[in-house]
Amino acid sequence: MAATEPRNTEPRNTEPKDAEPKSTEPKDAEPKDADGEAGPPGPPAPEKKKRLRRTRRITLAVLLVLLLPLLTAETALRINYMGDPADGTHTRNRDAIWLGHAWVDGRKKDADLTALARDLKTTGIRDLYVHTGPMEHDGTLPKSLYPRARWLVDAVHREMPGVRVQAFLGDVLATESPDGMRLEKPATRAAVVDSARQVLDVGYDGVHLDLEPLHSGDGDYLSLLDDVRAVTRARDAQLSVAAHQIDPLPGFHSFWGTVAGHPKWWSQEFFGQVARRVDQIAVMSYDTMQPLESLYGGYVAQQTSLALEVTPPTTHLLMGLPFYHENRFGHWNHAETVAAAVRGVRLGLSRTDADRERFGVAAYIDFAATEQDWASYRDGWVR
C-alpha cells in the first residue's frame, strides 16, 4: 500500500515570516466578563422558543402517526395468537412439500427415494412440488434440466401409492427490474403453456407455478392460469400455484409498493380470483418481517382466515410452513418457527372454517429441513 499512498498535495505556507498573525477569535464569540471568562448565555428570544416547541410537537406527531398503526397492528397479531385451536383441526392428509432440484437432475438415487418414502409415511403429505425449472424468461423449459424426472415419477408412484408428483416451474418476473419473464407478451404465456404440456408428457401428475414478484391484480397472470388449466384438465392433472400473502390491512400492497417499491401482498379479492382458477393454492406464509414467534403465529392465523374467506371449497388451500432457517430482514429464524406456524394455522382454521376438507399445510423446503421442523409438524399438525 505504501507505493500507492497519495502524495501530500496541501499548499505550502507562503505568508511572510514576519506577517502579523491573524486573529482566531470567532466573530460571534460569547461576551466575556472582566476576568476574561465567558459569561452565561442570555435567554433565548421568545420567537426562538416558540419555534423549538413547534418543532418538538411536529416531530412527536410524526412519530405517533408512524408508530401507532404499527403498534396497534402488532398488538392485534399478538391477541390473534391467543386461545385454543378447535378439536379436529389437524391434518386432512392433504399436505404438500416443496422438493429441491436434486430429485430430477441426477443427484438423488434409489436410496434417497426409499428414505423419503419412509419419512413421508408418518405424515399427511400427498403432493410433492418438485423443482423442475426454472423456465427461461421467454417461457420455455430446457429438457436438459430434468433428466431424471421420469425415474422420480415412476419411483414415487411405486413406493408411495396415492402421492402425486407435480412439476414446480418458476421464474423471476420483470415487474420490479428490467430482467425477467414478461407475462404481458402473448408469446411468453403461450410458451409457459407449452412447458406445462412438456412436463405432463413426462408423466408428472400436475403443474405447480411459482412466478415472483407477482403484483396484485395482474390480469395477464389470470389469463395464463386459464390457459394452463385447460391443458391440465384435459390431462386429468392438477394445476397448483404458490401464492403471495394477503393484505394484512385493506390496500396495504399499494401503500408498501409506494414506500418500498415492492408491493409484496395481494388484495384478498385478487387472491380469490386466483384461487377460483386453480386446483390447489399454497400460501407462502413465511418471510413476514415479524420479530417474535407470537406475532408470527398471529400473522399466520390472520392469513389463514383471510385465505379461507375467499377460497372456494372446491379449491385445495394450503398454508406454508418454514422448513428453512435464515436470519435477514423479512425472516427471523427465532420467530418464524414451524411450531408457531402450525398453531397459527389451527387457530385461523378454527375461527373461520374448522370443517374445511380441502385444506392442508405445505412445507418449504426438504433440503433445509431439520429434525425439529419435522417433529413440530408431526406433533402439532399430524398427531
Side-chain angles (χ1 to χ4, degrees), residues 328-350:
R328 52 178 170 76
F329 179 74
H331 181 99
W332 302 109
N333 188 52
H334 67 274
E336 296 199 14
T337 65
V338 175
V342 166
R343 176 173 165 77
V345 167
R346 294 188 62 208
L347 286 169
L349 183 63
S350 301

Side-chain angles (χ1 to χ4, degrees), residues 178-189:
D179 298 321
M181 181 181 291
R182 296 186 178 276
L183 292 182
E184 67 271 19
K185 294 184 177 181
T188 300
R189 297 198 302 273

Side-chain angles (χ1 to χ4, degrees), residues 17-315:
K17 293 182 180 180
D18 57 351
E20 184 178 341
K22 296 180 180 179
S23 172
T24 59
E25 185 79 15
K27 293 180 180 180
D28 57 349
E30 295 180 4
K32 299 181 180 180
D33 58 21
D35 297 326
E37 296 295 329
E47 186 61 31
K48 187 175 182 180
K49 282 185 176 180
K50 290 180 181 179
R51 287 200 302 269
L52 184 59
R53 285 197 297 267
R54 186 162 53 246
T55 301
R56 288 173 177 170
R57 285 197 296 266
I58 292 173
T59 302
L60 180 59
V62 170
L63 288 175
L64 288 175
V65 167
L66 293 176
L67 293 179
L68 191 57
L70 176 62
L71 292 175
T72 301
E74 295 295 84
T75 301
L77 293 182
R78 180 63 185 89
I79 294 173
N80 212 30
Y81 195 57
M82 299 171 66
D84 296 319
D87 293 338
T89 51
H90 302 296
T91 186
R92 279 85 164 114
N93 292 316
R94 293 178 179 272
D95 303 330
I97 186 171
W98 282 277
L99 300 181
H101 201 81
W103 288 98
V104 295
D105 67 5
R107 283 176 285 170
K108 295 290 187 179
K109 308 299 182 184
D110 289 343
D112 299 303
L113 194 284
T114 300
L116 179 66
R118 181 180 62 249
D119 291 340
L120 296 188
K121 191 174 183 179
T122 56
T123 72
I125 293 175
R126 297 295 180 269
D127 280 284
L128 310 179
Y129 303 143
V130 185
H131 191 268
T132 308
M135 292 179 286
E136 299 293 322
H137 292 339
D138 64 0
T140 59
L141 179 67
K143 293 183 179 180
S144 59
L145 291 177
Y146 52 94
R148 293 272 283 170
R150 173 63 75 174
W151 162 80
L152 176 66
V153 172
D154 290 345
V156 169
H157 289 167
R158 181 181 64 252
E159 301 294 332
M160 294 175 262
V163 174
R164 293 178 296 206
V165 188
Q166 301 192 42
F168 169 11
L169 305 180
D171 193 23
V172 176
L173 297 179
T175 50
E176 298 173 15
S177 72
D179 298 321
M181 181 181 291
R182 296 186 178 276
L183 292 182
E184 67 271 19
K185 294 184 177 181
T188 300
R189 297 198 302 273
V192 173
V193 175
D194 285 340
S195 295
R197 291 193 185 94
Q198 186 175 312
V199 294
L200 293 178
D201 288 342
V202 174
Y204 279 103
D205 300 302
V207 177
H208 179 78
L209 294 178
D210 178 18
L211 303 174
E212 303 178 47
L214 181 62
H215 293 179
S216 183
D218 192 325
D220 294 318
Y221 179 65
L222 298 179
S223 176
L224 173 65
L225 294 181
D226 289 337
D227 294 341
V228 175
R229 196 175 194 188
V231 171
T232 56
R233 277 183 167 175
R235 305 286 192 95
D236 195 24
Q238 296 287 297
L239 171 59
S240 59
V241 295
H244 288 33
Q245 297 157 31
I246 301 173
D247 280 334
L249 297 171
F252 198 71
H253 69 279
S254 297
F255 165 77
W256 197 254
T258 301
V259 172
H262 171 49
K264 183 177 173 67
W265 293 271
W266 287 353
S267 71
Q268 192 182 35
E269 178 185 11
F270 183 68
F271 187 97
Q273 291 173 340
V274 173
R276 289 192 292 273
R277 287 171 164 81
V278 298
D279 299 296
Q280 298 178 337
I281 184 166
V283 185
M284 296 180 285
S285 41
Y286 34 76
D287 293 347
T288 65
M289 298 183 284
Q290 296 303 321
L292 300 175
E293 192 174 23
S294 59
L295 298 180
Y296 171 62
Y299 183 89
V300 173
Q302 180 199 52
Q303 288 291 308
T304 302
S305 292
L306 291 171
L308 283 167
E309 288 171 358
V310 293
T311 302
T314 53
T315 299

